[in-house]
Amino acid sequence: MSLHDTITDILAAAVEERQCAGANVLIRRHGEELLYTQAGRADIEEGRLIQRDSIFRLYSQSKPITAAAVMLLVERGLIDLMDGVDKYLPGFRNPKVVDHRGCITKAYRAPWIMELLGMTAGLCYPDGDRAGQYAARVFEDAHEQIRAGGGIPTVEFMNRLGEQPLAFQPGTHWRYSTCADVLGAVVEVVSGKRFGDFLREEIFEPLDMPDTAFFVPADKQERFVTCYERGENGLTPWLGMNLACGVYDRDPAFESGGAGLVSTLEDYSHFADMMLNGGVWQGKRILSPKSVEFLTTPQLNDVTQRDLWDSLDGYSYGKLCRVCVAPERVAGLAIQGEY
């Protein structure tokens, strides 16, 4: 059986078992396409099939693009990786932290840009502990405003988040968090452009990624994949809001660098090819080779590495992506340096 048939059968089985409504796969190597295949539907109720140009929510695949945007500004001397984020976002001035007793005390400094790239900044997503509960209040307010037809602009949103206490002193632990969203606001402040406009001009247009953005315009809505959740009754449409991302039919006030982009396999493959080719795509240089090397190098030390999830054994983290450092410990067929 060919590789194409094997992967197609795997996708078809996942659809048949209601693990997902549909999926597609694109494999490229050394700039050449090895295979494309698909199975299932983009929308079950409407009967729309998954296609090569189906538009998906990128969610956390937004993060590497945000990291690349930061490095563009680092290359131009506009951002220093040791800068405190409070240099750009005043909400992070006079930072606070929740200590081990649950008390709010003074943080010894604001997080550095480098720590935001490595998720060691002390930030958190809205969740159950004290720091997460403070963050949740900001997100809940944003959700209410989005449902009412508005929203909190990116920089204002992140300044509000910066006023909440950190989960730990910057640099002392690792925690998956809103770091990429904060970096998106930093890019907006430094560039003087909306984050989405900067990405479009500096990354999406040069890489010919016309379907990558923070929303799906009306003329592309028919290609937008419906999001489903699994339950006792099978797959049902998921209409919730994920981290202030949930309304995709209009340009959002908050452009989430951690979870907000939509894209296609084809578009994202152009970004991936650029990274794999040392910063060049079809003769156009986007990033320097050293920036690509930096973006794909882990940065956790022995202490912060202990906080990484058990499921990521064999990996480290840095620059908004996981990086394989010990393939023999990965529960799968991994490659040294894979990111």
Side-chain angles (χ1 to χ4, degrees), residues 281-297:
W281 184 77
Q282 293 193 354
K284 290 179 281 189
R285 177 160 296 285
I286 307 299
L287 289 167
S288 72
K290 291 301 293 183
S291 286
V292 173
E293 180 183 351
F294 176 81
L295 284 171
T296 57
T297 301

Side-chain angles (χ1 to χ4, degrees), residues 54-67:
S54 291
I55 298 174
F56 292 85
R57 298 155 181 81
L58 282 186
Y59 288 133
S60 284
Q61 286 298 110
S62 304
K63 289 178 171 72
I65 291 175
T66 297

Side-chain angles (χ1 to χ4, degrees), residues 225-245:
V225 172
T226 298
C227 198
Y228 290 90
E229 60 181 339
R230 292 195 300 268
E232 294 181 358
N233 299 319
L235 296 173
T236 56
W238 185 72
L239 304 175
M241 201 169 299
N242 179 53
L243 302 172
C245 305

Side-chain angles (χ1 to χ4, degrees), residues 105-298:
T105 61
K106 184 178 180 180
Y108 53 71
R109 60 169 171 79
W112 296 330
I113 299 298
M114 184 70 170
E115 290 166 339
L116 292 167
L117 286 168
M119 297 277 187
T120 60
L123 290 163
C124 56
Y125 277 129
D127 52 34
D129 69 7
R130 281 291 300 279
Q133 291 169 12
Y134 280 104
R137 296 175 188 174
V138 183
F139 276 91
E140 288 165 3
D141 185 24
H143 291 173
E144 289 181 8
Q145 294 196 36
I146 291 169
R147 293 188 187 101
I152 305 175
T154 305
V155 173
E156 179 185 345
F157 195 154
M158 293 303 104
N159 273 316
R160 289 194 195 181
L161 204 61
E163 293 170 354
Q164 312 310 309
L166 300 170
F168 50 82
Q169 294 285 358
T172 60
H173 291 281
W174 179 88
R175 182 164 174 170
Y176 202 63
S177 65
T178 55
C179 285
D181 297 309
V182 173
L183 285 170
V186 169
V187 170
E188 185 161 309
V189 169
V190 174
S191 69
K193 303 175 181 177
R194 287 197 72 197
F195 183 43
D197 291 339
F198 181 86
L199 293 182
R200 186 186 70 253
E201 294 171 15
E202 300 285 351
I203 296 177
F204 302 152
E205 288 180 349
L207 291 178
D208 190 19
M209 298 169 65
D211 292 324
T212 307
F214 285 107
F215 75 107
V216 183
D219 61 346
K220 297 182 181 181
Q221 279 288 327
E222 64 181 15
R223 294 196 279 126
F224 192 32
V225 172
T226 298
C227 198
Y228 290 90
E229 60 181 339
R230 292 195 300 268
E232 294 181 358
N233 299 319
L235 296 173
T236 56
W238 185 72
L239 304 175
M241 201 169 299
N242 179 53
L243 302 172
C245 305
V247 180
Y248 293 93
D249 60 357
R250 61 180 184 265
D251 195 0
F254 170 49
E255 297 177 319
S256 168
L261 288 170
V262 299
S263 189
T264 64
L265 271 184
E266 184 65 37
D267 273 20
Y268 208 85
S269 76
H270 298 178
F271 177 76
D273 275 353
M274 178 274 291
M275 294 289 290
L276 291 168
N277 198 36
V280 173
W281 184 77
Q282 293 193 354
K284 290 179 281 189
R285 177 160 296 285
I286 307 299
L287 289 167
S288 72
K290 291 301 293 183
S291 286
V292 173
E293 180 183 351
F294 176 81
L295 284 171
T296 57
T297 301

